[in-house]
């Protein structure tokens, strides 16, 4: 690669942001080669956590190649450069470095952890995995068999069936409609060339975000970034179209012989950059997002003992959004659980929340926020998420103000806009008694 | 192979890190033990109370009562309304939860360090002053049955695991699931719950672990104020559980469930646990599990059964030494599509024999020891897991010194000790072998 500013020391911009409790001092580091990373120096423990995210992920693969990104990602650690998979694993073990590779619908992420004293070797090994993976045929066949095993197992897992069914109904025709593992057919057909194409499409420098926390200086990091990522292609695959939400209100029962029905329910959601996202976030906390304290937990579990857990979550993906919930209840009681959820859903859509609920959600959310910054790895991950979402360097300091600014009217507006009880759809996997598919 | 040489060099470079956390220990007059772990990087604290009471301390016939009580501890006391403790933690921006095992039940909150006093106020209150109603029992019993549905009834692996465990322990309560047998859970009632609570939830049966941005003397003063006045349980019996008789007969089980996609063979052996002042054997078993079935790419089973032959899609060996009484060592093999369970089991057995004959791969042992050394550096980043380590050790018959000696005991394990420990795997009389598969379908092609 051609360095943009050869031999120039890493450019550094520092924003200190003091939350109520902790100070997270984020520096923006631009490498001599022009790669940007956010860094928090933490020299008290001699290791570094490195988080890399490539925006795009499995949604970038062509329709007939479903599962290519997933299989490719699983093979990154299975041999690189002149090392086969065993030699690679032995080298990583010997350095006590750990590398995690994960693929999602909208991203591919790498989480690495390495000691200060063998940092150069650990980075060199990771560089090999990112830039010179071998994709040997025997490794492809071995890992493919593992993926097939996962696909087969998911076909018989009620939770997975529920999630997959909801996605299919919601986003038919879009990559979001299918599992990124691929199907038995598509995975069987994948070739080495498909994996190389998937890698070059996903792991490119025009879509990369980096967060680093630990025992490393800006200068050291600048050099490291160029070594590690300089060899990746400049540009990757084009992004997919927006996903059109197609699901109407109702119930879909997927018959499955198991004692407890597993339910996925939801409506279309709200984008992360929507002006109402924070209002929706607070609404969800009150409704089903905060665990034991949520309305749904109170009504479905605490008052009626109908489930071990009921949760809701906002799913703002890059090309579509969902507002989802999940619950599991014995086959003879799940109908009752669905009725309670439907009633609560309608009530929230109509009346919003109380002043007391809003106040306690705010104390909870603002108090809990600083507790997220606990350890090098979690902070690196938060910084990458902020960059991907386009949040500014000083976001951490302003985030609680944004939560505190939400009013009862905001919640009422956003509840009305998102919840739409007539659109609420339940997918029920099991042998539910007295629950039938609509239409 | 240049990386390999670099790796070996690194072994000699990494000295023992000077990272030992500041640990302070105290004991209150009423018998409550206190462990304080300091980490001043962030103004956060983890507050935990561990009881030396778990599912294996239940009386016969009331399986699940320890875990049921754990749920009920979030109900009302004289001063707290039902759910108020968690609501208060949340209102202070914290999180809280609890967990139950065979050897312990533990409760924790994670919160800003300046809220520690409030946490102790509430946690000490519910140690002795719980006020349960019949309605609490009825509703929460439904919840734990739904929890069992989620964790066990809906999972053929978990159902089979229960059956195998019940067969492995002929006499010890480790053979009974922590969540309880369903037919016994359905009958759990207030008297059984209160009997367990009154006997075991007492300061002389509890360990307080506080980890984070705190000063030990301040923690002690706070603990004296809140936990100090609590009355101990007099005549708390020694934890002597029924022990295993000589196990003379190999046990084999087969379970069929249509919800299974890939059949597999899993075997668990009765194995020695870590004992106070005597952790060598357990350390050898930790190394054995790593060498035999740790990383698939480098472990012996992985190499022989997944790489050199394509007998299996997955193999593993697993062992956990932290247990008050005899623990388990396990082997698992998920065969490749065209390999039968019988052939897979034979290949597994042959490979274990070959491992013992070949002896320990010294380079691999060195790499594992290097990883263990480095883990003490990585773990310093996670004070909550350190707190858990001390709490679980102290409720499993170990001491602070045992926990602190453990890394050195692991480093001192010799290849001979590992091969000696592996002899355990040749004695199937002390093991249960399980085959899990889907029932054959009529006219199915395969």
């Amino acid at each position: 690669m051609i360095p943009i500013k050869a031999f120039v020391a890493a450019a550094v911009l520092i924003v200190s942001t003091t939350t109520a409790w902790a100070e997270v001092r984020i520096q923006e580091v631009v490498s001599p080669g022009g790669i940007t990373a956010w860094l928090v120096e933490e020299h008290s423990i001699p290791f570094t956590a490195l988080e890399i995210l490539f925006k795009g992920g499995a949604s970038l693969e062509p329709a007939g190649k479903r599962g290519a990104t997933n299989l490719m990602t699983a093979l990154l650690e299975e041999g690189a450069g002149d090392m086969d998979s065993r030699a690679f694993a032995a080298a990583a073990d010997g350095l006590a470095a750990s590398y995690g590779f994960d693929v999602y619908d909208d991203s591919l992420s790498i989480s690495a952890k390495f000691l200060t004293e063998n940092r150069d070797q650990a980075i060199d090994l990771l560089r090999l995995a990112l830039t010179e993976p071998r994709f040997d045929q025997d490794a492809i066949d071995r890992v493919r068999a593992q993926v097939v095993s996962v696909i087969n197992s998911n076909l018989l897992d009620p939770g997975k069936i529920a999630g997959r069914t909801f996605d299919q109904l919601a986003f038919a025709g879009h990559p979001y409609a299918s599992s990124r593992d691929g199907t038995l057919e598509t995975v069987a057909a994948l070739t080495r060339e498909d994996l190389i194409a998937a890698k070059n499409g996903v792991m490119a420098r025009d879509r990369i975000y980096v967060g680093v926390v630990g025992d490393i200086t800006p200068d050291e990091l600048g050099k490291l970034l160029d070594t590690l990522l300089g060899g990746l292609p400049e540009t990757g695959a084009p992004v997919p179209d927006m996903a059109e939400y197609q699901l109407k209100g109702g119930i879909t029962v997927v018959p499955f012989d198991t004692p407890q029905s597993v339910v996925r329910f939801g409506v279309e959601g709200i984008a992360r950059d929507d002006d109402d996202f924070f209002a929706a976030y607070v609404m969800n906390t009150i409704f089903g997002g905060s665990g034991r304290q949520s309305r749904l937990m109170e009504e479905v579990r605490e008052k009626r003992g109908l489930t071990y857990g009921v949760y809701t979550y906002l799913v703002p993906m890059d090309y579509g959004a969902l507002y989802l919930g999940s619950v599991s209840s014995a086959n003879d009681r799940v109908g009752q659980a669905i009725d309670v959820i439907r009633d609560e859903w309608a009530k929230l859509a109509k009346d919003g929340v109380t002043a007391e609920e809003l106040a306690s959600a705010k104390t909870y959310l603002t108090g809990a926020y600083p507790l997220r910054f606990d350890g090098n790895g979690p902070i690196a991950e938060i910084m990458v998420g902020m960059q991907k979402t386009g949040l500014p360097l000083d976001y951490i300091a302003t985030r609680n103000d944004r939560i505190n600014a939400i009013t009862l009217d905001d919640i009422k507006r956003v509840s009305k806009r998102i919840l739409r009880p007539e659109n609420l759809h339940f997918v029920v996997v099991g042998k539910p008694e007295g629950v039938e598919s609509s239409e | 192979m240049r990386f390999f040489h670099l790796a070996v060099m690194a072994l000699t470079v990494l000295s023992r890190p000077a990272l030992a956390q500041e640990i302070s220990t105290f004991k209150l007059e009423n018998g409550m033990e206190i462990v304080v772990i300091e980490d001043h990087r962030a103004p956060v604290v983890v507050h935990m109370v561990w009881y030396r009471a778990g599912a294996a301390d239940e009386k016969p016939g009331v399986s699940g009562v320890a875990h049921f009580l754990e749920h009920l501890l979030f109900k009302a006391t004289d001063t707290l309304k039902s759910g108020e403790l968690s609501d208060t933690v949340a209102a202070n921006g914290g999180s809280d939860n609890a967990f139950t095992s065979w050897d312990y039940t533990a409760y924790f909150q994670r919160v800003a360090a300046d809220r520690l006093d409030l946490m102790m106020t509430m946690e000490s209150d519910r140690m002795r002053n719980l006020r349960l109603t019949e309605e609490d029992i009825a509703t929460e019993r439904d919840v734990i049955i739904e929890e069992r549905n989620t964790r066990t009834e809906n999972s053929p692996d978990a159902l089979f695991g229960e059956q195998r465990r019940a067969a492995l322990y002929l006499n010890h309560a480790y053979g009974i699931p922590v969540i309880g047998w369903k037919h016994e859970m359905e009958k759990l009632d207030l008297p059984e719950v209160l009997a367990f609570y009154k006997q075991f939830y007492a300061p002389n049966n509890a360990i307080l672990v506080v980890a984070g941005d705190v000063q030990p003397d301040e923690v002690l003063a706070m603990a004296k104020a809140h936990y100090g006045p609590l009355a101990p349980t007099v005549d708390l019996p020694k934890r002597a559980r029924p022990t295993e008789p000589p196990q003379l007969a190999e046990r084999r089980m087969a379970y069929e469930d249509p919800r299974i996609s890939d059949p597999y063979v899993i075997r668990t052996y009765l194995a020695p646990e870590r004992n106070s002042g005597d952790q060598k054997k357990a350390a050898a078993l930790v190394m054995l599990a790593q060498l035999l079935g740790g990383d698939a790419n480098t472990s012996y089973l992985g190499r022989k059964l997944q790489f050199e032959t394509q007998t299996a899609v997955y193999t593993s060996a697993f062992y956990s030494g932290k247990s008050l009484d005899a623990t388990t060592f396990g082997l698992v093999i998920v065969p490749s599509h065209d390999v039968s369970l019988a052939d897979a089991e034979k290949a597994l057995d042959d490979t274990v024999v070959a491992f013992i004959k070949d002896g320990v791969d010294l380079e691999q042992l060195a790499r594992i020891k290097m990883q263990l050394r480095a883990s003490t550096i990585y773990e310093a980043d996670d004070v909550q897991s350190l707190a858990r380590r001390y709490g679980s050790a102290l409720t499993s018959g170990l001491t602070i010194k045992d926990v602190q000696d453990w890394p050195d005991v692991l480093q001192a394990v010799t290849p001979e000790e590992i091969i000696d420990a592996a002899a355990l795997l040749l004695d199937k009389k002390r093991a249960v072998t399980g085959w899990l598969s889907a029932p054959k379908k009529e006219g199915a092609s395969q």
Side-chain angles (χ1 to χ4, degrees):
Chain A
M1 82 142 211
I2 302 162
I4 296 165
K5 292 182 274 185
F7 308 113
V8 177
V12 181
L13 171 72
I14 299 179
V15 171
S16 288
T17 145
T18 309
T19 64
W21 301 337
E23 191 184 41
V24 180
R25 195 163 175 270
I26 302 178
Q27 312 176 51
E28 182 171 277
V29 175
V30 182
S31 75
I35 298 167
T36 300
W38 288 12
L39 166 68
V40 173
E41 285 184 69
E42 167 57 66
H43 296 286
S44 69
I45 309 175
F47 84 98
T48 300
L50 164 70
E51 187 77 19
I52 300 170
L53 184 143
F54 296 94
K55 194 170 169 156
S59 297
L60 300 180
E61 63 202 9
K65 306 294 181 189
R66 200 59 172 148
T69 314
N70 179 60
L71 183 59
M72 177 278 291
T73 309
L75 280 158
L76 289 174
E77 269 189 296
E78 297 285 337
D82 60 0
M83 288 180 290
D84 65 10
S85 56
R86 275 170 56 185
F88 186 91
D93 288 355
L95 293 167
S98 77
Y99 311 114
F101 303 89
D102 287 296
V103 65
Y104 304 96
D105 285 335
D106 289 333
S107 63
L108 185 151
S109 77
I110 299 161
S111 311
K113 217 164 60 169
F114 42 84
L115 301 171
T116 301
E117 60 179 285
N118 56 29
R119 182 201 296 146
D120 289 350
Q121 290 121 280
I123 286 299
D124 213 21
L125 195 59
L126 181 57
R127 177 189 63 78
L128 275 183
L130 300 189
T131 55
E132 299 177 38
R134 290 161 63 105
F135 300 135
D136 289 333
Q137 194 59 46
D138 61 336
I140 293 174
D141 292 339
R142 185 166 36 75
V143 176
R144 188 197 325 258
Q146 292 163 356
V147 171
V148 165
S149 172
V150 169
I151 293 172
N152 276 324
S153 161
N154 289 347
L155 288 171
L156 294 175
D157 178 318
K160 301 282 185 189
I161 297 170
R164 203 174 49 245
T165 305
F166 197 99
D167 291 345
Q168 276 164 3
L169 295 169
F171 289 132
H174 192 274
Y176 288 163
S178 60
S179 164
R180 54 185 172 265
D181 291 340
T183 66
L184 293 173
E185 293 73 32
T186 59
V187 170
L190 291 173
T191 64
R192 185 170 187 275
E193 285 64 41
D194 294 332
L195 302 179
I196 293 168
K199 180 188 159 344
N200 290 333
V202 173
M203 295 170 64
R205 279 167 51 204
D206 61 348
R207 57 199 64 198
I208 196 168
Y209 303 95
V210 184
V212 180
V213 182
D215 186 22
I216 189 167
T217 65
D219 271 353
E220 289 166 340
L221 176 58
K223 292 188 191 95
L224 180 155
L225 291 171
D226 288 346
T227 306
L228 183 62
L229 304 169
L232 292 173
E234 196 79 45
T235 56
V239 299
D241 295 329
M242 292 301 287
E244 190 196 339
Y245 186 84
Q246 298 154 38
L247 194 49
K248 305 269 185 296
I251 292 182
T252 303
V253 175
V254 184
F256 187 72
D257 194 0
T258 202
Q260 187 187 52
S261 290
V262 180
V263 184
R264 178 69 60 97
F265 54 94
V267 292
E268 186 171 16
I270 182 171
R272 179 63 185 80
D273 58 4
D274 192 291
D275 287 344
D276 265 336
F277 184 81
F278 270 88
Y281 186 72
V282 176
M283 175 202 80
N284 175 57
T285 301
I286 296 167
F287 187 50
S290 60
R292 224 183 277 269
Q293 277 66 47
S294 75
R295 272 191 187 187
L296 285 181
M297 274 295 239
E298 178 64 24
E299 295 299 325
V300 185
R301 172 175 155 153
E302 299 300 321
K303 280 194 189 157
R304 297 178 177 83
L306 290 170
T307 188
Y308 177 53
V310 53
Y311 309 96
T312 57
Y313 26 93
L314 291 160
V315 189
M317 297 175 287
D318 289 351
Y319 306 102
L322 296 171
Y323 183 48
L324 291 178
S326 62
V327 70
S328 302
S329 200
N331 285 330
D332 61 345
R333 310 172 81 211
V334 68
Q336 203 188 335
I338 289 172
D339 288 344
V340 175
I341 292 167
R342 224 196 263 284
D343 286 351
E344 289 301 316
W345 194 281
K347 201 172 119 196
L348 179 61
K350 184 166 156 284
D351 302 332
V353 302
T354 66
E356 195 190 349
E357 285 176 314
L358 177 59
S360 68
K362 284 180 181 177
T363 7
Y364 166 65
L365 288 172
T366 55
Y369 188 60
L371 293 177
R372 288 191 199 169
F373 298 82
D374 70 330
N376 295 357
I379 296 173
E381 209 175 315
I382 289 169
M383 291 197 299
V384 161
M386 286 167 62
Q387 294 175 71
K388 182 185 181 237
T389 314
L391 298 172
L393 218 51
D394 67 351
Y395 169 78
I396 296 170
T398 65
R399 185 267 191 188
N400 277 355
D401 296 339
R402 298 184 201 210
I403 296 284
N404 281 325
I406 301 299
T407 65
L408 282 173
D409 283 344
D410 292 334
I411 305 266
K412 198 155 190 176
R413 183 182 64 250
V414 81
S415 302
K416 217 164 229 103
R417 179 182 152 196
I418 297 178
L419 293 177
R420 298 181 185 277
E422 68 281 9
N423 289 351
L424 177 59
H425 196 98
F426 292 83
V427 171
V428 186
V429 181
K431 292 179 107 181
E433 292 176 19
V435 180
E436 277 167 26
S437 290
S438 46
E439 320 265 316
Chain B
M1 287 303 287
R2 71 201 154 99
F3 280 97
F4 177 68
H5 294 294
L6 291 173
V8 172
M9 272 172 51
L11 288 179
T12 59
V13 181
L14 183 68
S15 53
R16 282 210 64 202
L19 279 169
Q21 276 64 36
E22 287 296 327
I23 310 267
S24 314
T25 57
F26 309 98
K27 193 165 187 174
L28 298 181
E29 277 175 28
N30 60 13
M32 187 161 181
E33 290 170 56
I34 301 171
V35 180
V36 182
I37 306 167
E38 289 178 69
D39 176 0
H40 300 288
R41 290 181 303 154
V44 177
V45 70
V46 178
H47 170 248
M48 297 179 141
V49 170
W50 293 71
Y51 293 98
R52 290 190 168 97
D57 299 296
E58 294 163 347
K59 291 199 169 81
V62 294
S63 62
V65 74
H67 169 257
F68 190 23
L69 175 60
E70 178 226 292
H71 277 235
L72 293 167
L73 232 69
F74 293 85
K75 303 298 180 190
T77 68
D78 287 340
T79 58
L80 292 165
K81 285 183 300 202
S82 182
E84 187 180 342
L85 185 145
S86 293
D87 289 347
T88 307
V89 175
N92 282 277
S95 57
D96 73 318
N97 215 327
F99 44 89
T100 309
S101 174
W102 281 282
D103 292 328
Y104 53 75
T105 311
Y107 301 81
F108 71 92
Q109 302 87 33
R110 187 166 169 276
V111 71
D114 60 4
R115 315 293 157 90
L116 179 59
D117 192 80
L118 177 60
M119 299 303 114
M120 286 200 193
T121 306
M122 296 190 294
E123 194 63 76
S124 61
D125 183 30
R126 66 173 167 176
M127 186 184 293
R128 282 311 218 179
N129 302 323
L130 198 59
R131 296 292 173 256
L132 295 175
T133 65
E134 290 291 349
E135 198 196 329
D136 290 334
I137 296 283
T139 312
E140 202 62 29
R141 192 170 45 212
D142 284 345
V143 171
I144 57 167
I145 286 168
E146 289 296 349
E147 182 177 356
R148 187 184 155 87
N149 283 339
T150 299
R151 290 184 190 279
T152 312
E153 304 292 340
N154 259 21
S155 162
D157 305 274
L159 279 172
F160 190 36
E162 261 182 9
Q163 298 284 316
R164 289 185 290 107
R165 212 178 156 89
L168 182 63
Y169 288 97
L170 298 172
N171 198 38
H172 194 287
Y174 285 166
I176 298 169
V178 170
I179 191 130
W181 297 117
K182 191 167 190 172
H183 67 289
E184 293 185 349
M185 295 169 72
E186 285 164 348
K187 297 208 172 73
L188 290 176
D189 217 335
L190 196 53
E192 296 87 61
V193 170
L194 289 179
F196 194 89
Y197 177 63
K198 283 179 179 153
Q199 177 171 8
F200 292 120
Y201 281 54
N204 54 328
N205 198 40
I207 298 144
L208 170 67
V209 183
V210 176
D213 189 19
V214 291
Q215 297 300 331
D217 51 340
E218 289 172 19
V219 173
L220 177 61
M222 239 181 259
K224 271 183 181 162
H226 294 296
Y227 294 102
L230 299 176
T233 294
V234 287
D235 304 326
L236 190 70
K238 196 172 174 296
R239 295 177 94 186
R241 282 95 163 253
T243 52
E244 285 300 304
Q247 298 207 341
L248 306 176
E250 177 184 358
R251 277 138 288 161
R252 303 187 63 81
M253 310 181 89
Y255 176 57
E256 292 189 344
D257 191 309
R259 295 171 293 178
I260 280 297
S261 54
D262 285 351
Y264 59 86
V265 178
I266 181 165
R267 185 185 296 139
T268 40
Y269 302 80
L270 211 57
E273 75 284 10
R274 286 167 65 183
N275 285 312
S276 187
D278 174 18
Q279 306 187 84
K280 261 180 107 158
K281 213 157 190 178
L285 289 170
V286 168
M287 295 300 187
L288 175 64
Q290 279 297 312
L291 287 164
L292 198 56
D295 182 336
N297 281 299
T298 50
S299 70
Y300 197 85
L301 292 177
R303 272 158 45 201
K304 297 291 177 190
L305 299 173
Q306 293 174 245
F307 285 77
E308 290 173 20
T309 67
Q310 277 69 55
T311 310
V313 290
Y314 177 81
T315 54
S316 181
F318 49 94
Y319 169 75
S320 170
K322 214 181 261 176
S323 177
L324 187 59
D325 303 313
T327 184
T328 62
F329 190 104
L331 298 173
V332 60
I333 177 167
V334 183
S336 296
H337 200 57
D338 51 353
V339 176
S340 70
L341 290 180
D343 288 345
E345 184 181 342
K346 180 167 188 318
L348 181 67
D349 283 336
D350 291 349
T351 310
V352 169
V353 170
F355 171 82
I356 292 172
K357 186 163 155 282
D358 283 0
V360 169
D361 176 344
L362 297 181
E363 287 163 353
Q364 179 64 4
L365 180 61
R367 287 191 288 263
I368 291 168
K369 287 187 176 179
M370 166 68 180
Q371 286 183 291
L372 287 167
R373 265 194 295 259
S375 68
T376 58
I377 294 177
Y378 294 135
E379 282 157 8
D381 197 33
D382 186 355
V383 72
Q384 184 157 353
S385 83
L386 276 172
R388 263 184 105 122
R389 170 167 320 159
Y390 279 94
S392 59
L394 295 179
T395 47
S396 303
L398 300 171
T399 64
I400 300 269
K401 184 171 185 307
D402 294 323
V403 177
Q404 292 174 339
D405 286 349
W406 181 237
D408 287 339
V409 177
L410 286 168
Q411 292 297 326
V413 171
T414 66
E416 294 71 30
E417 287 166 348
I418 295 167
I419 295 301
D420 286 351
L424 176 110
L425 305 179
L426 301 176
D427 183 7
K428 289 193 211 165
K429 291 198 295 293
R430 291 165 59 80
V432 174
T433 305
W435 288 18
L436 180 57
S437 58
K440 289 263 183 304
K441 281 183 197 147
E442 288 288 318
S445 56
Q446 187 241 315

